[in-house]
Structure formats: structure tokens, C-alpha cells
Amino acid sequence: MTQEAIRNIHKKYLMPSNIVIAVVGDIDPQKTLKLIDQYFGRLPKKSLKAGHIPVEPPQVQERKVEVFYDANPRMILGYHKPAAPAFEDYVFDVLERILSDGRTSRLYSRLVLEKQIADSISAHNGIPASRYPNMFTIFAAPRHPNTLEDLQKAIDIELDDIINHPVTPEELDKAKKKMKMDFMTSLDSNSELASILSHTELLLGDYRYFANYLPQIEKVTSADIQKVTAKYLTKDKRTVATLNKKKDIANHENSK
């Protein structure tokens, strides 16, 4: 990264029409606006042309990626899904909590503690980022002597269980309470609140997303969770990425 490249980035993107400023705290609005104008008002006004990013074609079958490296086996399952502010995204936020938030969550309690198939497992909604259609992902590592195939089958069984049997009212209530607690905790810090407001305004086009978050979470039902799991967490919409040790390469080649 050269000085010239940095100057070009500033010239191209650092403009009033492309900046979101959030100020939180016990402030004097007039003095604060004057201070903002002092430092940002001098920037030349111009429009940033929106870049066209083509929509990715729908995935119609399972994709697999294998990487061989001198490391312990790991896997990532990624499922295509809608991005915020679609209601399904709120549902996946709740599902993330039910699957892997804490030792009593479904995937952790069953696959790590009870069956001891996994060394670690976690679910994440919104990978890799928020602005465009993204993925619901599950990161996992098998516990010896279980293989990546054993672990993947076990995860599929747990997802099928959610489709066939509604999550319990207790699970749903527990997940929502944790989300409410995290929401309230985020309000303790002015810097965190400013970061959230500017983030949602810039990426989603509306800072009110943050204020409307909990009411949307409250609307999520067990039936909603069943519906999105059945619709989006399917093999034809997922990519399976696996990491194996180098010593397994020979065995892998011989098995072909």
C-alpha cells in the first residue's frame, strides 16, 4: 500500500455523501454540529457512483472444498440465506443462539458434551458481512477418533431434528432473554452505541434497525425457526469446506 494509493482511496471515498457520523452522549447539539462542520465541512461535495455488484446465481447443488494442511481437522458448513433487514435474518439470529450459545445450547450440549463427537462447534449468522446476501455458518472440529464425515452427519441430524420437532418454548424464551440482555449491555457504552448506529445506517440505510431489533426478535416463533431451517439449511444451498492434515493426503488419493 503506497502513499499514492492511500491518497486515491481518500479522494474517491472520503466525501460528505459517503460518510455517517454518530454522536452519543451529553452534548450541546449546536456546538457539536459546529465542530463537525469545522473538520468535515471543508470536504468537497461530490457524488459517489454506486458500483454494480451482480447477483450471485442461485446455488442448486452442494459444493465441497477440501484443503490439506498440517493442522487438526476442521469444517465449515455455509448456507445461503437472505440478509438484513429481511425477517428471516432475525429468525436466524435466534436460531444461532439456540444452536450454539453456551454449554446448554443444542449443538454444544449434544455433540460436544453428550456424544463427544466434536471438540468445538459454533453457529454464526451473517457471514461474511451484512450488506449483501450472506450465509448462516457452522464451524466445527471433530473429536478423535471421530472423522469429519461423522461430525457432518451428526450436525445434519440435529438440523433435521429442528425441522421435524419445534424448538421448545423454554429454548425460545431463553434465547430471546439472552439477546435482550446483550442488547441492553450494548447501551452501556456511548462508543458502542455510536458504532452500532453508524453501522446500521451505513450498511442497511436506516439507523432505526437497531431500535426495532428487539420487537422483531419478539415476533419470532418456533414455527418460523422450523420454516427457515427447512427452506435454507438444505444440502443444495450449502458449501462444505473441510481441512485435513497433510498426512491424510496419501490416504485420500488412494481412496479415489
Side-chain angles (χ1 to χ4, degrees):
M1 181 65 74
T2 64
Q3 288 187 356
E4 182 181 1
I6 295 174
R7 289 193 186 98
N8 288 336
I9 290 175
H10 278 226
K11 183 178 180 181
K12 183 175 182 180
Y13 296 106
L14 192 60
M15 61 187 72
S17 60
N18 200 37
I19 295 175
V20 174
I21 299 175
V23 182
V24 177
D26 184 12
I27 63 170
D28 182 318
Q30 294 302 319
K31 289 183 179 180
T32 302
L33 289 173
K34 184 177 180 180
L35 189 62
I36 291 173
D37 183 65
Q38 177 182 338
Y39 288 99
F40 292 91
R42 70 183 77 170
L43 296 176
K45 294 182 180 180
K46 57 181 179 178
S47 298
L48 177 67
K49 294 182 179 180
H52 175 67
I53 298 181
V55 177
E56 183 178 349
Q59 185 169 333
V60 296
Q61 63 183 12
E62 184 180 57
R63 297 171 181 165
K64 293 186 178 181
V65 179
E66 291 182 288
V67 177
F68 295 96
Y69 193 71
D70 189 16
N72 291 328
R74 298 190 64 84
M75 72 186 316
I76 305 174
L77 307 178
Y79 300 84
H80 289 284
K81 52 164 282 292
F87 181 69
E88 291 96 334
D89 189 67
Y90 296 99
V91 179
F92 275 111
D93 277 352
V94 178
L95 179 59
E96 174 190 319
R97 297 297 184 115
I98 291 173
L99 288 179
S100 69
D101 185 20
R103 295 174 63 84
T104 60
S105 60
R106 284 205 176 200
L107 293 181
Y108 193 92
S109 64
R110 296 181 183 180
L111 302 189
V112 177
L113 299 179
E114 181 182 335
K115 298 179 180 179
Q116 298 186 0
I117 295 175
D119 260 341
S120 63
I121 193 163
S122 60
H124 304 272
N125 182 34
I127 300 293
S130 305
R131 177 175 288 183
Y132 304 108
N134 48 48
M135 305 185 89
F136 185 84
T137 55
I138 297 175
F139 292 73
R143 175 176 295 182
H144 185 77
N146 297 285
T147 65
L148 290 168
E149 291 76 13
D150 296 331
L151 181 54
Q152 183 176 332
K153 290 178 182 178
I155 293 172
D156 287 341
I157 289 173
E158 295 302 325
L159 296 180
D160 287 340
D161 186 53
I162 288 181
I163 295 173
N164 297 320
H165 305 94
V167 298
T168 65
E170 292 77 16
E171 284 181 294
L172 189 58
D173 183 61
K174 181 180 179 181
K176 290 182 178 181
K177 284 183 178 178
K178 283 190 174 182
M179 297 174 79
K180 289 178 184 177
M181 179 60 68
D182 289 346
F183 182 91
M184 297 305 296
T185 301
S186 68
L187 301 179
D188 290 341
S189 165
N190 284 349
S191 61
E192 180 69 14
L193 182 54
S195 176
I196 292 171
L197 292 174
S198 57
H199 174 86
T200 53
E201 176 66 26
L202 182 64
L203 293 186
L204 303 179
D206 188 0
Y207 69 90
R208 297 174 184 84
Y209 170 86
F210 178 64
N212 296 329
Y213 185 74
L214 287 185
Q216 293 293 339
I217 292 299
E218 276 300 319
K219 294 179 182 179
V220 176
T221 66
S222 294
D224 292 327
I225 293 174
Q226 277 185 294
K227 182 178 179 181
V228 301
T229 303
K231 183 176 181 179
Y232 296 105
L233 302 192
T234 59
K235 290 183 179 180
D236 61 331
K237 289 185 175 64
R238 82 178 175 189
T239 298
V240 180
T242 56
L243 171 69
N244 266 315
K245 288 187 176 181
K246 283 184 176 180
K247 66 180 182 181
D248 295 330
I249 294 179
N251 295 333
H252 177 77
E253 292 298 331
N254 292 334
S255 66
K256 288 184 177 181

